[in-house]
Amino acid sequence: MEEFMQYYEKVYPQMYRTALYYMRNCQEAEDAVQDAVLTAYEKFYQLKDREKFAPWIMQILVNRCRRRMKSWFRREEDIQNISISGENALSKETDFAMAAAVKQVFWELKEEERLIVALSVFGGYTSQEIAEIMKQNHSTIRSRYRRALQKMKKKLEV
């Protein structure tokens, strides 16, 4: 338990930021992180290489976020209504117009592109770590990350 907590304390801020940007709602992000941590704790004994704890638990978190979002669509709830409180909590920057524009452009990206950008920018992960989390080729992740940033830049310039 103590060993797990040491690893968890190091990655919690990244997990929460990633879940928050993915879920767009504080409570949903906290629930997703909690679900991921519970699952990771139960399966911690299966992790042979402790150095890969961060990518491993982030993969669990991403899967939990996806499941939660799928359940939203099954219930046919309006995602905009769910995310209003999250939007208010995220905006503490001085340039509100730019922050809103960046958020809007971010959410116009495809789901996979959003995840890659969120893990890199908000989670602080390298493209190699993101490739491990998403179980994809390292160069594919780099290309998709660059394209996503180019899309965002192009839309912000207009």
Side-chain angles (χ1 to χ4, degrees):
M1 168 85 167
E2 196 170 307
E3 182 182 12
F4 178 84
M5 289 305 295
Q6 289 173 347
Y7 285 109
Y8 168 67
E9 287 173 353
K10 291 178 185 175
V11 297
Y12 173 76
Q14 296 169 345
M15 289 179 70
Y16 181 72
R17 276 194 309 268
T18 302
L20 187 59
Y21 276 92
Y22 204 85
M23 305 299 290
R24 299 181 77 179
N25 178 285
C26 295
Q27 290 80 21
E28 288 291 333
E30 289 170 2
D31 289 347
V33 169
Q34 186 177 15
D35 289 349
V37 169
L38 181 61
T39 301
Y41 179 72
E42 290 170 348
K43 300 190 184 265
F44 185 63
Y45 70 92
Q46 295 176 349
L47 183 64
K48 292 178 181 21
D49 185 0
R50 301 290 197 232
E51 295 300 314
K52 295 191 177 193
F53 179 81
W56 175 72
I57 199 167
M58 289 301 290
Q59 179 62 52
I60 294 170
L61 176 65
V62 167
N63 291 338
R64 294 293 170 201
C65 289
R66 285 182 176 162
R67 281 190 197 140
R68 286 180 164 278
M69 291 182 82
K70 283 180 186 177
S71 71
W72 289 350
F73 290 111
R74 273 188 237 120
R75 292 187 312 231
E76 298 181 17
E77 291 180 4
D78 184 8
I79 300 295
Q80 294 297 80
N81 291 337
I82 291 172
S83 66
I84 289 172
S85 63
E87 283 291 319
N88 294 336
L90 291 175
S91 187
K92 291 186 179 180
E93 298 135 74
T94 55
D95 187 0
F96 295 112
M98 180 53 102
V102 170
K103 287 178 193 174
Q104 167 116 21
V105 170
F106 175 76
W107 285 104
E108 290 175 7
L109 295 173
K110 295 177 186 172
E111 179 184 352
E112 186 176 65
E113 293 171 332
R114 279 195 316 265
L115 179 59
I116 292 169
V117 171
L119 288 171
S120 178
V121 175
F122 309 124
Y125 287 93
T126 65
S127 56
Q128 181 65 40
E129 292 169 327
I130 295 170
E132 289 176 19
I133 291 169
M134 297 182 70
K135 294 180 176 55
Q136 292 186 10
N137 188 318
H138 176 243
S139 58
T140 302
I141 296 297
R142 280 197 327 254
S143 297
R144 290 182 180 161
Y145 176 72
R146 263 194 319 276
R147 272 188 245 130
L149 291 182
Q150 287 171 351
K151 279 184 191 179
M152 290 179 70
K153 182 179 177 184
K154 191 174 186 178
K155 288 182 180 184
L156 288 170
E157 288 175 349
V158 173

